[in-house]
Amino acid sequence: MVDPMELRHLRYFVMVAEELHFGRAAERLHMAQPPLSQRIRDLERELGVRLFDRNPHRVSLTEAGALLLEHARGVLDRADAAREAMRRIRPGASGVLRAGVPPDTTPMALRTLVASFTARIPDVLLELHELTTASQLAKLRAEELDAGLVRHPCDTVGLESSQVVHRRLGVVLPEGHRAAQQEEVRLRTLDGSALVIFPREMAPQLYDHILEACRDNGFLPSAIRHARNPHFVHGLVMSGLGAHLNEEPYDELPAGLVWRPIDEPRLTWSTSAVWLPVQGGEVVAAFAAAALAGLREVGHT
């Protein structure tokens, strides 16, 4: 079997050979140029030949480099084919399904998800990871997760998705706020208040969608404060430092806070299970069904 380090060095070599420019090759590899240059020097020392002629104006392949390029592409193609074959082994074959869930998933939803999955696939351990939508998508594409539970809108290009379920959002306010007296809060009445919201890197497209919907409804926050921990969120709102958009709480809010529905149907938690196309099958289908069961336990539609 080819050593993984040797494969990595061959990939670096092929990238430089295709670009004939260390800077551009480093960009494509998402790495700095000096380490790339060092890896190529290491490969040259290991093989005992010079692979590139370098001068300040151009980089070109030597005769040895051209010969290695012909062989390296075949080795990498075969390695990729072997990796793809391994990926097609159904998730759970090892006895574990790695799945991501949003950090604010409720205890009730988690309980139902786990119980439903275990009832369907008792021989596979469900290994849950508390991850943001952005982290889940990155780990799915890096094959570090088998499935995820993400919030939309988000970039699911290249992924399969279950049915999307929706939960209307409302607003958490201090009970003395002028809008707290409305049965359904008109977003424009929040204009000039600060907004407490999750950090954008957790779900960039959802974050932008929420701010756009607020602006369209005449709610221009006087400030934006980022928080992810529910206790910190509630502390900020209770201190009069902002309003917070979220689904109806599954348990009681702290004294002094109220939740009210809002008049903007576009503002929802829209959630679905996602997975790589090659990782479909019985185990992932069971996770998707269990995840939807958990979401519906707390009132998603």
Side-chain angles (χ1 to χ4, degrees), residues 122-222:
D123 297 330
V124 173
L125 173 67
L126 181 58
E127 182 183 282
L128 292 177
H129 300 266
E130 181 189 31
L131 296 167
T132 66
T133 288
S135 294
Q136 288 187 57
L137 294 174
K139 287 181 177 293
L140 279 165
R141 292 183 172 116
E143 300 175 32
E144 295 172 10
L145 281 182
D146 301 310
L149 193 60
V150 299
R151 292 264 167 77
H152 299 265
C154 62
D155 179 11
T156 57
V157 173
L159 300 175
E160 297 289 337
S161 176
S162 71
Q163 173 190 354
V164 178
V165 294
H166 307 278
R167 177 71 166 168
R168 286 283 297 271
L169 298 188
V171 60
V172 179
L173 296 165
E175 61 184 5
H177 193 284
R178 63 185 183 277
Q181 310 312 312
Q182 301 172 18
E183 289 188 9
E184 182 180 72
V185 172
R186 295 181 295 279
L187 279 176
R188 66 175 179 272
T189 64
L190 300 177
D191 191 38
S193 299
L195 176 65
V196 180
I197 189 172
F198 57 86
R200 186 177 185 275
E201 63 267 19
M202 292 179 66
Q205 289 175 268
L206 176 58
Y207 182 99
D208 293 344
H209 170 73
I210 289 173
L211 293 187
E212 180 183 359
C214 289
R215 287 194 300 268
D216 289 349
N217 283 271
F219 173 24
L220 299 176
S222 59

Side-chain angles (χ1 to χ4, degrees), residues 2 19 28 47 49 62 68 73 79 93 106 111 138 143 158 170-171 173-174 177 184 216 226 228 282 285 291 300:
V2 180
E19 292 291 338
R28 286 180 60 187
L47 296 176
V49 295
T62 63
L68 178 61
R73 283 177 169 152
T106 67
R111 180 191 64 189
E143 300 175 32
V171 60
L173 296 165
H177 193 284
E184 182 180 72
D216 289 349
H226 294 133
R228 65 178 74 197
E282 179 188 9
H300 288 68

Side-chain angles (χ1 to χ4, degrees), residues 53-133:
D53 286 324
R54 308 162 175 87
N55 65 52
H57 304 293
R58 63 190 296 268
V59 174
S60 59
L61 279 168
T62 63
E63 183 177 358
L67 181 61
L68 178 61
L69 180 60
E70 180 179 343
H71 288 282
R73 283 177 169 152
V75 170
L76 293 176
D77 286 345
R78 289 190 294 275
D80 288 341
R83 185 178 293 107
E84 180 67 14
M86 294 303 98
R87 280 206 321 170
R88 291 182 182 276
I89 296 176
R90 68 180 180 89
S94 64
V96 177
L97 181 79
R98 304 164 300 169
V101 296
D104 59 351
T105 304
T106 67
M108 189 183 307
L110 281 175
R111 180 191 64 189
T112 301
L113 190 163
V114 173
S116 178
F117 179 85
T118 301
R120 289 174 167 86
I121 311 288
D123 297 330
V124 173
L125 173 67
L126 181 58
E127 182 183 282
L128 292 177
H129 300 266
E130 181 189 31
L131 296 167
T132 66
T133 288

Side-chain angles (χ1 to χ4, degrees), residues 40-53:
I40 297 301
R41 286 194 292 270
D42 291 344
L43 182 60
E44 289 176 323
R45 279 197 296 271
E46 181 180 347
L47 296 176
V49 295
R50 193 175 73 258
L51 300 172
F52 296 97
D53 286 324

Side-chain angles (χ1 to χ4, degrees), residues 13-35:
F13 163 73
V14 169
M15 194 68 71
V16 176
E18 289 177 351
E19 292 291 338
L20 293 179
H21 190 286
F22 279 82
R24 289 195 298 270
E27 285 184 5
R28 286 180 60 187
L29 290 163
H30 305 292
M31 64 187 298
Q33 182 175 333

